[in-house]
Amino acid sequence: MRRTLSSLMAFIILFVSTYAQKTPTDKKLVVVVMDGFRWQELFHGADSSILFNPAMNKSDRKNHDEYWDADPEVRKQKLMPFVWGTMVKQGQLFGDRDKGNLVNLRNSYWFSYPGRSEIFAGYFDPKVNSNEYPDNPNTNVLEYLNQQPAYKGRVAAFSSWDAVARIMARKRSGIYVNIYDEDIPGPSLSTAEAVANVNQHIVPHVFGAGERIDAATYSLARSYVQARHPKVIYLDLGDTDEFAHAGKYDDYLDAGHHADAIFGDLWKTMQKDPFYKGQTYLLVVPDHGRGIDAKWTSHGAQTPRCNETYFMAMGPGIAAKGVISQPGQLFQEQIAQTIAKLLGHTFKADHPVAGPVQELFAK
C-alpha cells in the first residue's frame, strides 16, 4: 500500500511539474535593441546614395559586393539573412513605411537614453532628456517582471553601452546588468563565462571608454544564458550607432549584418536547449532612427525623420504574418506592455503605461 501511495505521489509531482513548465508564467523572452539602425536598411538593404558616395561614406573600401545588388529584395536579404529568412517568415514585422505601416518614437528627443527609457518604461517622460541622465526614476518592465515570483532573479541585461545600467536603474531594480568593462561575477563560472570575461579586455577598444564592441558583449551574454538560464534577457547592441556617427557606412552595414548574426545565433542556440525551445519570444527594436541622405550619420530632435522606427517579434502563439502591410500607427512606448503581455502579465507602474501592440496578438 505504501509503495502504491509513493508511486502515486511521484506521478502527481511529475504531472504538476510538467504542467507548470507549460504555463504562461514559464515563457521566456529575449529583447534586442539595435542602437540607431535605420528602417531604410532593414527594408531596402544598402542605400546606394550613401554606399557609393565618398562624401557620405568615409570607408576606404572599394568593393561593396558583399551587400550590394540592384534588387532591393536581394540587398536586404544579404544584409539581414536571419531577419528575412527566419523572423519575417515565422513572426511579424511592423514599420514598413512604404505600405503606410508606421512605428514612431513618442519621445521628442530622438536619441539613445530617452529612446530606451520609452521602450522599457512604456511612456515618454520629458524629464529624461540626456544621455548623461542619472538613474531612471521610472519603473521599467524588466524591473516589474523581476518582482514577479516566476521571474525573480531570472532577468538579465547585457549591453555594449555603459549608460544602460542607469537606464535600467540597476541599483533599485535588482536586475543583473552587465555593461562595458564588467566581468560576469561569481566563484563558479562556466568555462565559457571565464573565457568571455578575459576576452572582453583584450579585444580592440574601438570606441573608447564606455562602449565595448558587440562581439564581446554577445560572448558574455551567450555564456551567461547557457550557464544560468535566465528567463528574460535584454541584449543591447551598439556598433551600428558608433560606426554611423563616424560616417563609416560600410562598417555600419557590417555592424547591422553582425547584429543579425548575433541574435540569430542566440535564437538557434536557445532552440537547441529544452529550457528555451518552443517557449521563447524574440523581439527586436531600435532605440531611434537616423536622418536621411547627408544626415544619415545623425539623430536627435534637429534631424528630420530619425523618430521613424520598427518592431519585430516571433515566438509561441505569434501568428506568422510576415511584414505587416496594413496602414496603421504604432509607438515605441507600446513595447513595454507588449513584453509583459507575452509573458502573461500586465505591467503596472506609478506612471502611465501605454497599451500593448494588439495587432501582434491577433490571429
Side-chain angles (χ1 to χ4, degrees), residues 30-37 112 115-117 119-120 142 158-161 164 167-168 211 214 217 233-241 259 262-263 282-288 310 332 335 339:
V30 177
V31 56
V32 179
V33 171
M34 293 179 63
D35 196 328
F37 190 71
S112 297
R116 288 170 173 81
S117 179
I119 290 170
F120 292 102
L142 303 190
F158 285 81
S159 173
S160 294
W161 187 35
V164 167
I167 297 169
M168 291 288 104
E211 183 94 23
D214 289 340
T217 298
I233 184 86
Y234 161 30
L235 182 61
D236 195 292
L237 304 175
D239 289 3
T240 44
D241 193 64
I262 283 172
F263 56 77
L282 174 62
L283 282 66
V284 180
V285 64
D287 55 337
H288 54 74
Y310 49 86
Q332 207 95 317
I335 293 169
I339 287 172

Side-chain angles (χ1 to χ4, degrees), residues 320-337:
K321 297 181 180 179
V323 178
I324 305 303
S325 58
Q326 293 87 355
Q329 176 70 70
L330 298 175
F331 289 95
Q332 207 95 317
E333 64 182 359
Q334 296 177 259
I335 293 169
Q337 196 65 270

